[in-house]
């Protein structure tokens, strides 16, 4: 029998909410966090973004953090702090931190280049988050847009293998000019707020944010006498290597990832209450993910929506932000729909528009990265 992995705390910060309560209110009220660039110093200002509406100084003040930290680190500190607080924990002195990121401290590099070029790698931002909470055991996962989801898998495996009783896992990613120009060069940015699965969709809106979850073993949950929020019941990762950036027409990697998650959780497709889709709003991704969903669920596709319509695509942090949303769905017994109106696309599934009340027992959460690194997480309610 696979040892259970429980979730006892969540923390999140993104353009649609400065904490989990604010984010949930935005999702249920249909309030988008997507708008013009206001804080990022960039010459590419023609595309809307999901920008956290706080300056670095404001983030630093809220976090009580030291000078000189990257925006990625500051957002991560705030999300970790919220997660630890909900779990009844105060620090990371005995707790490993696993964080997913790709941009890392690129914002600091941009501010100093070319006069004073310094390397601010992915691992540096993770180490800074851990150090803020007194932690010394930290590692970084960088697999593009599936980074945070894979960080949660690594954290769960640390618990399942007995190497840790508690792990804090998730991801953090800030917007940078380099980041924005990179996606612009791929010609997949939408000049309007993104429209996942809509026939008019023209690309994604980049976003930023951070989210972390406290993962805990059954023995630790019982020993601390804490009520878990949910269970990470299954997960799957597959790399179909179809193309450097595009997804395959039949969604092979996504199909395999979802199938593996269901198998690990010993669940059938009909048991799933909701799918939080990767749903970037690009023509290729949404059609490919729809093909994979049809292969998994046949004619009985559960409610599906992409919350990137509210947060923007937070790239490496998206897996953990949407994992927190999935846990909130289980807690509130409700589902967030996409903003309406929506024009259906025969090539795509028809997503949920507007909120929907439960029951919500099992949620699949998809995160797909460049190169076909596809991950699905399966969260279950604790009854």
């Amino acid at each position: 029998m696979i040892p259970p992995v429980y979730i006892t705390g969540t923390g999140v910060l993104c353009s649609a909410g400065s904490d989990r309560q604010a984010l949930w209110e935005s999702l249920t009220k249909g309030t988008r966090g997507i708008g013009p660039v206001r804080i990022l110093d960039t010459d590419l200002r023609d595309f809307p973004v999901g920008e956290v509406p706080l300056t670095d100084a404001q983030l630093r003040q809220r976090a009580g953090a030291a000078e000189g930290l990257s925006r990625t680190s500051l957002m991560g500190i705030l999300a970790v702090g919220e997660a630890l607080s909900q779990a009844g924990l105060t620090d990371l002195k005995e707790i490993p931190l696993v964080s997913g990121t790709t941009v890392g401290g690129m914002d600091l590099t941009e501010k100093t280049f070319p006069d004073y070029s310094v390397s601010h790698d992915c691992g540096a931002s993770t180490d800074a988050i851990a150090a803020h909470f007194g932690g010394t055991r930290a590692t970084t996962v960088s697999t593009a847009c599936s980074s945070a989801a894979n960080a949660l898998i690594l954290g769960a495996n640390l618990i399942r293998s007995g190497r840790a009783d508690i792990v804090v896992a998730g991801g953090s990613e800030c917007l940078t000019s380099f980041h924005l120009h990179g996606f612009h060069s791929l010609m997949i940015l939408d000049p309007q707020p993104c429209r996942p699965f809509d026939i008019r969709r023209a690309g994604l809106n980049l976003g930023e944010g951070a989210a972390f979850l406290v993962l805990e073993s059954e023995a630790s949950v019982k020993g601390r006498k804490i009520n878990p929020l949910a269970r990470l019941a299954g997960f799957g990762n597959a790399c179909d290597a179809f193309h450097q950036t595009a997804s395959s027409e039949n969604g092979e990697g996504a199909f395999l990832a979802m199938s593996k998650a269901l198998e690990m959780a010993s669940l059938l497709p009909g048991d799933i209450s909701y799918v939080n889709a990767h749903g970037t709003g690009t023509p290729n991704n949404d059609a490919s993910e729809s093909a994979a969903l049809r292969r998994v669920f046949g004619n009985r596709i559960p409610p599906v929506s992409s919350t990137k319509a509210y947060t923007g695509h937070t790239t490496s942090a998206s897996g953990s932000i949407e994992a927190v949303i999935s846990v909130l769905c289980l807690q509130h017994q409700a589902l967030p729909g996409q903003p309406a109106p929506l024009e259906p696309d025969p090539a795509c599934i028809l997503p949920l528009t507007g909120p929907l009340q439960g029951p919500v027992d099992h949620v699949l959460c998809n995160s797909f990265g460049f190169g076909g690194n596809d991950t699905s997480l399966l969260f279950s309610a604790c009854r």
Side-chain angles (χ1 to χ4, degrees):
M1 180 179 176
I2 299 173
V5 176
Y6 292 99
I7 297 155
T8 56
T10 62
V12 65
L13 173 73
C14 65
S15 64
S18 58
D19 54 33
R20 59 179 175 269
Q21 180 178 349
L23 174 56
W24 185 251
E25 288 178 0
S26 292
L27 295 174
T28 54
K29 293 178 180 178
T31 305
R32 287 178 181 251
I34 295 171
V37 177
R38 299 188 185 279
I39 296 171
L40 178 65
D41 183 14
T42 181
D43 59 353
L44 191 61
R45 311 183 74 84
D46 297 330
F47 298 92
V49 294
E51 193 172 41
V52 172
L54 295 169
T55 65
D56 289 6
Q58 290 170 325
L59 289 170
R60 189 180 306 110
Q61 184 177 22
R62 278 190 59 182
E67 294 279 347
L69 294 185
S70 69
R71 190 170 175 86
T72 296
S73 299
L74 293 171
M75 291 191 298
I77 287 169
L78 287 168
V80 168
E82 185 183 21
L84 288 174
S85 177
Q86 186 177 32
L89 302 167
T90 57
D91 57 53
L92 295 174
K93 291 179 180 177
E94 303 295 331
I95 299 172
L97 173 70
V98 185
S99 181
T101 189
T102 301
V103 168
M106 179 62 71
D107 62 316
L108 295 181
T109 300
E110 289 182 350
K111 290 175 182 177
T112 57
F113 184 85
D115 297 327
Y116 179 59
S117 182
V118 178
S119 174
H120 302 103
D121 61 31
C122 300
S125 61
T126 305
D127 290 343
I129 297 168
H132 180 85
F133 295 97
T136 58
R137 300 167 63 192
T139 193
T140 303
V141 176
S142 188
T143 56
C145 301
S146 59
S147 297
N150 287 334
L152 286 162
I153 289 179
L154 177 53
N157 282 333
L158 288 173
I159 290 173
R160 292 171 61 207
S161 65
R163 297 187 180 187
D165 285 319
I166 303 175
V167 177
V168 175
S172 184
E173 192 96 299
C174 75
L175 281 169
T176 68
S177 188
F178 177 85
H179 198 187
L180 197 58
H181 276 275
F183 276 82
H184 183 241
S185 71
L186 296 173
M187 297 183 289
I188 55 173
L189 294 180
D190 194 334
Q192 300 181 48
C194 66
R195 295 151 288 181
F197 302 109
D198 191 303
I199 198 168
R200 302 164 298 170
R201 67 191 185 279
L204 57 86
N205 307 136
L206 272 184
E208 64 179 357
F212 288 86
L213 294 83
V214 178
L215 307 179
E216 199 158 346
S217 69
E218 185 174 32
S220 181
V221 165
K222 289 180 178 179
R224 295 202 309 121
K225 298 180 180 179
I226 189 169
N227 293 321
L229 307 173
R231 191 163 48 89
L232 179 52
F235 47 80
N237 173 264
C239 192
D240 60 7
F242 172 76
H243 186 270
Q244 289 174 318
T245 57
S247 302
S248 59
E249 289 185 4
N250 66 352
E252 181 68 10
F255 167 76
L256 291 172
M258 287 187 281
S259 299
K260 289 179 180 180
L262 284 164
E263 182 180 3
M264 179 182 288
S266 298
L267 294 174
L268 298 173
D271 295 322
I272 300 301
S273 309
Y274 168 64
V275 179
N276 186 290
H278 187 56
T280 60
T282 62
N284 173 252
N285 173 86
D286 294 0
S288 176
E289 186 171 9
S290 293
L293 287 165
R294 286 165 174 157
R295 290 176 65 186
V296 172
F297 295 102
N299 295 324
R300 296 184 178 181
I301 298 176
V304 178
S305 68
S306 171
T307 48
K308 290 179 177 68
Y310 297 97
T311 66
H313 187 0
T314 55
T315 53
S316 291
S318 62
S320 56
I321 290 174
E322 290 157 23
V324 170
I325 291 171
S326 299
V327 173
L328 290 171
C329 289
L330 292 165
Q331 289 183 271
H332 291 278
Q333 288 293 290
L335 306 177
Q338 294 179 203
L342 182 139
E343 291 190 20
D345 181 352
C348 294
I349 55 91
L350 184 65
L352 176 68
T353 55
L356 180 69
Q357 293 300 307
V360 186
D361 297 314
H362 307 285
V363 175
L364 262 178
C365 183
N366 288 338
S367 297
F368 307 146
F370 283 161
N373 192 297
D374 300 331
T375 297
S376 291
L377 306 173
L378 202 163
F379 299 94
S380 295
C382 294
R383 302 298 191 195

